[in-house]
Amino acid sequence: MRGAHDLRLRDAVIDPAAEGVDVSLRIGHLRDAQVVARRLGVTRMLVCASPEYLRRSGPPATPEDLQRHRCLAFVRESHVVPWRFRAESGTLRFEPTGSLSVNDGDALKALAVAGAGLAWVFDFMIAPELASGALDTVLDEFAVDERPIHALYQSPRHVIPRVRVFLDFASTLLGSPRS
């Protein structure tokens, strides 16, 4: 049953109006010019692992070195999400083929912290673990460009108070000033 305060988490592109959603968050460039969007910040994907994993396996020096590592895969809609890296020829794609894959970002992060392998995750997801030393990043010089983070909502003129509060809170977390 849907209540007054209902948080639904799903890693999929949705139509907020059709699903009765007040606000949805989208990472990446927007393709639909018809949506009302507020830019909240930017993020980029980083490869990370626990210091223990990196001591045991050695850090990769290039994306090509990932072939000899245990790489944790993220699965969206039954498909492994390929990792992307900056290369002289454009963008290099790497598809992790290890035996472990998950469909939840927090589980992926927990596995990396536990020393299960390398993970490719959004920088904002691992900021506390980087600060505490629970995770280290590798291959930073090959990271793809930043991606914008937007909040999508229905009406720019009559933003209901709970949506305005959420938008302001999300802007504070993700670093963009109120627009």
Side-chain angles (χ1 to χ4, degrees):
M1 173 180 275
R2 187 162 183 230
H5 302 287
D6 184 30
L7 175 64
R8 290 181 265 161
L9 303 175
R10 183 172 26 162
D11 188 12
V13 175
I14 66 164
D15 177 352
E19 301 230 7
V21 173
D22 291 331
V23 179
S24 65
L25 300 180
R26 188 138 332 138
I27 297 174
H29 299 284
L30 299 177
R31 296 183 187 118
D32 184 357
Q34 303 300 324
V35 299
V36 179
R38 177 170 163 186
R39 186 175 169 130
L40 301 174
V42 295
T43 188
R44 66 184 182 139
M45 301 296 291
L46 299 174
V47 178
C48 66
S50 71
E52 181 260 330
Y53 174 85
L54 294 172
R55 273 192 299 279
R56 188 175 68 234
S57 301
T62 68
E64 291 80 10
D65 293 343
L66 294 172
Q67 296 294 335
R68 65 177 184 81
H69 280 271
R70 183 159 189 193
C71 297
L72 308 171
F74 183 81
V75 177
R76 179 182 304 125
E77 299 174 3
S78 301
H79 295 88
V80 171
V81 174
W83 300 9
R84 292 190 313 278
F85 298 97
R86 187 175 326 165
E88 287 182 19
S89 60
T91 301
L92 172 72
R93 289 171 48 103
F94 168 75
E95 188 166 318
T97 57
S99 60
L100 188 55
S101 61
V102 299
N103 66 350
D104 179 80
D106 288 327
L108 186 65
K109 178 174 69 171
L111 287 165
V113 169
L118 295 166
W120 191 60
V121 296
F122 291 111
D123 58 1
F124 65 83
M125 288 183 63
I126 59 170
E129 289 76 16
L130 292 175
S132 73
L135 288 175
D136 290 324
T137 61
V138 294
L139 303 176
D140 292 349
E141 64 273 22
F142 298 99
V144 292
D145 295 331
E146 294 178 333
R147 300 179 195 181
I149 304 171
H150 289 93
L152 281 56
Y153 53 101
Q154 295 184 26
S155 173
R157 288 183 236 167
H158 304 292
V159 178
I160 57 178
R162 70 175 178 242
V163 169
R164 185 174 310 284
V165 168
F166 177 78
L167 293 173
D168 291 345
F169 172 71
S171 291
T172 300
L173 285 179
L174 298 169
S176 287
R178 185 175 177 177
S179 51

